[in-house]
Short mmCIF file of all heavy atoms in Angstrom, two decimals:
data_model
loop_
_atom_site.label_atom_id
_atom_site.label_comp_id
_atom_site.label_asym_id
_atom_site.label_seq_id
_atom_site.Cartn_x
_atom_site.Cartn_y
_atom_site.Cartn_z
N LYS B 245 -21.95 72.27 -53.03
CA LYS B 245 -20.73 72.00 -53.78
C LYS B 245 -20.01 70.76 -53.26
O LYS B 245 -19.53 69.93 -54.05
CB LYS B 245 -19.78 73.21 -53.68
CG LYS B 245 -20.16 74.34 -54.58
CD LYS B 245 -18.99 75.31 -54.73
CE LYS B 245 -18.53 75.86 -53.39
NZ LYS B 245 -17.37 76.77 -53.54
N SER B 246 -19.95 70.63 -51.97
CA SER B 246 -19.28 69.47 -51.37
C SER B 246 -19.87 68.17 -51.89
O SER B 246 -19.16 67.27 -52.33
CB SER B 246 -19.42 69.49 -49.86
OG SER B 246 -19.05 70.72 -49.33
N THR B 247 -21.17 68.11 -51.84
CA THR B 247 -21.85 66.90 -52.29
C THR B 247 -21.61 66.66 -53.77
O THR B 247 -21.42 65.54 -54.22
CB THR B 247 -23.35 67.00 -51.99
OG1 THR B 247 -23.52 67.34 -50.62
CG2 THR B 247 -24.05 65.69 -52.28
N CYS B 248 -21.59 67.75 -54.52
CA CYS B 248 -21.28 67.66 -55.94
C CYS B 248 -19.93 67.00 -56.15
O CYS B 248 -19.79 66.06 -56.94
CB CYS B 248 -21.28 69.05 -56.56
SG CYS B 248 -22.63 69.34 -57.69
N THR B 249 -18.95 67.49 -55.46
CA THR B 249 -17.61 66.93 -55.56
C THR B 249 -17.64 65.43 -55.27
O THR B 249 -17.02 64.62 -55.98
CB THR B 249 -16.67 67.64 -54.56
OG1 THR B 249 -16.56 69.01 -54.91
CG2 THR B 249 -15.30 67.00 -54.59
N HIS B 250 -18.36 65.07 -54.23
CA HIS B 250 -18.48 63.67 -53.87
C HIS B 250 -19.07 62.85 -55.02
O HIS B 250 -18.53 61.80 -55.38
CB HIS B 250 -19.36 63.54 -52.62
CG HIS B 250 -19.84 62.16 -52.34
ND1 HIS B 250 -19.00 61.16 -51.90
CD2 HIS B 250 -21.06 61.60 -52.47
CE1 HIS B 250 -19.70 60.05 -51.74
NE2 HIS B 250 -20.94 60.29 -52.09
N HIS B 251 -20.14 63.35 -55.59
CA HIS B 251 -20.78 62.61 -56.68
C HIS B 251 -19.86 62.49 -57.89
O HIS B 251 -19.81 61.45 -58.55
CB HIS B 251 -22.08 63.30 -57.07
CG HIS B 251 -23.19 63.08 -56.09
ND1 HIS B 251 -23.51 61.84 -55.61
CD2 HIS B 251 -24.04 63.94 -55.48
CE1 HIS B 251 -24.52 61.95 -54.75
NE2 HIS B 251 -24.84 63.22 -54.64
N PHE B 252 -19.12 63.54 -58.16
CA PHE B 252 -18.20 63.48 -59.29
C PHE B 252 -17.11 62.46 -59.05
O PHE B 252 -16.63 61.79 -59.97
CB PHE B 252 -17.59 64.86 -59.56
CG PHE B 252 -18.51 65.72 -60.37
CD1 PHE B 252 -19.00 66.90 -59.86
CD2 PHE B 252 -18.90 65.33 -61.64
CE1 PHE B 252 -19.86 67.68 -60.60
CE2 PHE B 252 -19.76 66.11 -62.38
CZ PHE B 252 -20.25 67.29 -61.86
N LYS B 253 -16.72 62.34 -57.81
CA LYS B 253 -15.70 61.35 -57.48
C LYS B 253 -16.23 59.94 -57.74
O LYS B 253 -15.53 59.10 -58.33
CB LYS B 253 -15.29 61.51 -56.01
CG LYS B 253 -14.09 60.69 -55.61
CD LYS B 253 -13.72 60.98 -54.17
CE LYS B 253 -12.58 60.11 -53.68
NZ LYS B 253 -12.32 60.31 -52.22
N ILE B 254 -17.44 59.71 -57.32
CA ILE B 254 -18.06 58.40 -57.56
C ILE B 254 -18.12 58.11 -59.05
O ILE B 254 -17.72 57.04 -59.51
CB ILE B 254 -19.48 58.37 -56.97
CG1 ILE B 254 -19.47 58.66 -55.48
CG2 ILE B 254 -20.13 57.02 -57.28
CD1 ILE B 254 -19.24 57.49 -54.60
N LEU B 255 -18.60 59.08 -59.80
CA LEU B 255 -18.74 58.89 -61.24
C LEU B 255 -17.38 58.66 -61.88
O LEU B 255 -17.23 57.82 -62.77
CB LEU B 255 -19.42 60.11 -61.87
CG LEU B 255 -20.92 60.24 -61.58
CD1 LEU B 255 -21.44 61.59 -62.05
CD2 LEU B 255 -21.69 59.11 -62.23
N ARG B 256 -16.39 59.40 -61.44
CA ARG B 256 -15.06 59.26 -62.02
C ARG B 256 -14.45 57.91 -61.69
O ARG B 256 -13.93 57.22 -62.56
CB ARG B 256 -14.14 60.39 -61.52
CG ARG B 256 -12.69 60.19 -61.87
CD ARG B 256 -11.87 61.44 -61.62
NE ARG B 256 -12.16 62.03 -60.31
CZ ARG B 256 -11.57 61.68 -59.19
NH1 ARG B 256 -10.65 60.74 -59.19
NH2 ARG B 256 -11.88 62.29 -58.06
N GLU B 257 -14.57 57.51 -60.44
CA GLU B 257 -13.97 56.25 -60.03
C GLU B 257 -14.68 55.05 -60.63
O GLU B 257 -14.10 53.96 -60.72
CB GLU B 257 -13.94 56.16 -58.49
CG GLU B 257 -12.96 57.16 -57.89
CD GLU B 257 -12.93 57.07 -56.37
OE1 GLU B 257 -13.84 56.45 -55.78
OE2 GLU B 257 -12.00 57.64 -55.77
N ALA B 258 -15.93 55.25 -61.01
CA ALA B 258 -16.64 54.16 -61.70
C ALA B 258 -16.30 54.16 -63.18
O ALA B 258 -16.63 53.23 -63.90
CB ALA B 258 -18.13 54.30 -61.50
N GLY B 259 -15.64 55.24 -63.62
CA GLY B 259 -15.25 55.31 -65.02
C GLY B 259 -16.30 55.92 -65.92
O GLY B 259 -16.20 55.84 -67.15
N VAL B 260 -17.30 56.52 -65.32
CA VAL B 260 -18.38 57.09 -66.13
C VAL B 260 -17.97 58.42 -66.74
O VAL B 260 -18.32 58.72 -67.87
CB VAL B 260 -19.65 57.25 -65.28
CG1 VAL B 260 -20.76 57.89 -66.09
CG2 VAL B 260 -20.10 55.90 -64.75
N ILE B 261 -17.23 59.20 -65.98
CA ILE B 261 -16.82 60.50 -66.49
C ILE B 261 -15.31 60.65 -66.44
O ILE B 261 -14.61 59.89 -65.75
CB ILE B 261 -17.47 61.66 -65.70
CG1 ILE B 261 -16.92 61.68 -64.27
CG2 ILE B 261 -18.97 61.56 -65.73
CD1 ILE B 261 -17.30 62.91 -63.49
N HIS B 262 -14.84 61.63 -67.17
CA HIS B 262 -13.43 61.99 -67.15
C HIS B 262 -13.32 63.42 -66.65
O HIS B 262 -14.07 64.29 -67.07
CB HIS B 262 -12.84 61.88 -68.56
CG HIS B 262 -11.43 62.34 -68.65
ND1 HIS B 262 -10.37 61.53 -68.34
CD2 HIS B 262 -10.93 63.54 -68.97
CE1 HIS B 262 -9.24 62.22 -68.49
NE2 HIS B 262 -9.55 63.43 -68.88
#
Side-chain angles (χ1 to χ4, degrees):
Chain B
K245 282 196 303 178
S246 310
T247 308
C248 248
T249 296
H250 166 71
H251 285 312
F252 278 118
K253 190 177 176 186
I254 302 274
L255 287 171
R256 169 168 47 87
E257 291 180 346
V260 177
I261 67 170
H262 175 85

